[in-house]
Amino acid sequence: MQFDTSLIKKASLLIQSGELVAFPTETVYGIGADATNDKACCNIYSLKGRPSSNPLIVHVDSIEQAMSIAVFNEISLALVEKFWPGPLTLVLPLRPDNNIAKTVTAGLSTIAIRMPSDNTALSLIKMSRTPIAAPSANPSGYVSATAEFHVKRHFPNLFVLPSDNTGCGLESTIIDMSLDKYSVLRYGFITPESLSSALGVNVEFKSNSVIKAPGMMYKHYSPQASVRRDAININEGENGIGFGDVNLGALNLSPSGDLTEAAANLYRMLIILDDMGANVIAVAPIPNVGIGLAINDRLKRAAYD
Ligand code: TXA
Ligand code: MG
């Protein structure tokens, strides 16, 4: 898709005037607001039906901008130099002199921050001349949006920047760097193995985070249909999503068994079946390695009753 500067300019003017804008990132679509504007950020929560206790990620266009908001030590700095721009969110102590709206952090003394690699997202932040707070562009608890029409059907009045697709298809990896022992709070494209090797210490997943974040605690990332995991056949009344050699109907996350391809297809296919009115979606087993950890994490939460 052609990179449309005039649309991004229009979106940046909306951000500057305190409006909300949906924009693509390399992970999923976000609903953005000026992160320094409390009223605009409050509107994100009400639009999504998001509990005000669940803080937002701030998106920046440079490491310098991030350093004006959060406290980086040498280790955090080395980590972002390696992984930014890209699908890694760091939880860091907030700087005392930050100008981020209180609603963004839900009153915590830490902040989640990332620099996206998608060109539209980066240009939007640059043109808006402000960091942008953005959760995923879905009603709270539902599957994240990976295409423009996924956003529009839930939020018809929102200005949505176009994109061919959001490449990763799963939300960013979140690593908590604010405590002595680092931990992964949300699995994503950047795996615990690659973080461990970059940091030289073992980084483990910690489900019980300091905040009781809905995205980490209970049913989330969930279609309207029920989800049955590790299916090797489809029962009557079910629709299926296959993987590799396990075919459960027309949809297969990756016939060749490629986990990157599967991640990119997951939400899109769940939404297709939801739109068809599926009651139960049976999903083939996904190997629990690499990006498969993130796919299984999302499926577990989607399947939670
Ligand atoms: O890929 C992504 O990260 C996408 C795109 C739009 O950037 N954004 C996204 O945002 O997934 P959201 O709001 O759907 O998920 C953000 C997660 C939530 O689970 C929230 O609880 C957690 O980040 N979070 C935010 N601030 C935090 C903090 N200070 N400490 C721990 N977790 C935090
Ligand atoms: Mg979300």
Side-chain angles (χ1 to χ4, degrees), residues 28 48 50 54 135-138 140-142 144 171 186 215 220-221:
V28 296
K48 280 190 56 130
R50 181 181 180 107
N54 188 14
S136 51
N138 51 281
S140 187
Y142 193 68
S144 296
E171 307 77 6
R186 180 170 72 184
H220 212 80
Y221 311 110

Side-chain angles (χ1 to χ4, degrees), residues 54-246:
N54 188 14
L56 308 176
I57 296 175
V58 169
H59 297 66
V60 294
D61 63 12
S62 65
I63 295 179
E64 291 68 36
Q65 192 176 47
M67 290 172 78
S68 73
I69 299 170
V71 182
F72 281 77
N73 61 20
E74 270 174 33
I75 300 168
S76 303
L77 199 55
L79 202 62
V80 296
E81 275 165 356
K82 182 167 167 66
F83 290 106
W84 281 5
L88 181 68
T89 297
L90 273 70
V91 171
L92 291 166
L94 250 179
R95 271 177 73 123
D97 58 349
N98 79 85
N99 62 349
I100 298 298
K102 289 275 172 291
T103 31
V104 170
T105 52
L108 296 172
S109 57
T110 55
I111 188 157
I113 196 159
R114 86 177 188 99
M115 178 178 172
S117 62
D118 180 273
N119 280 331
T120 301
L122 276 178
S123 300
L124 176 65
I125 305 164
K126 269 200 179 70
M127 282 192 203
S128 304
R129 295 173 191 277
T130 182
I132 294 183
S136 51
N138 51 281
S140 187
Y142 193 68
V143 179
S144 296
T146 56
E148 192 181 345
F149 83 91
H150 292 164
V151 185
K152 283 192 168 150
R153 65 200 202 125
H154 291 296
F155 309 108
N157 300 323
L158 203 59
F159 182 81
V160 186
L161 281 169
S163 163
D164 266 352
N165 70 340
T166 40
C168 300
L170 291 179
E171 307 77 6
S172 61
T173 304
I174 303 180
I175 182 167
D176 188 351
M177 299 292 291
S178 72
L179 302 171
D180 288 341
K181 191 170 186 325
Y182 313 134
S183 52
V184 170
L185 300 180
R186 180 170 72 184
Y187 286 117
F189 238 66
I190 297 177
T191 59
E193 294 98 295
S194 57
L195 290 168
S196 298
S197 89
L199 288 164
V201 290
N202 199 26
V203 188
E204 278 169 13
F205 180 77
K206 193 177 73 178
S207 62
N208 203 3
S209 69
V210 275
I211 58 156
K212 304 287 176 251
M216 296 156 192
M217 297 304 289
Y218 49 83
K219 191 166 176 74
H220 212 80
Y221 311 110
S222 175
Q224 238 119 48
S226 312
V227 171
R228 183 167 70 86
R229 298 175 58 225
D230 296 328
I232 45 167
N233 58 347
I234 324 181
N235 298 327
E236 206 180 316
E238 291 185 342
N239 291 80
I241 301 181
F243 176 78
D245 292 340
V246 181

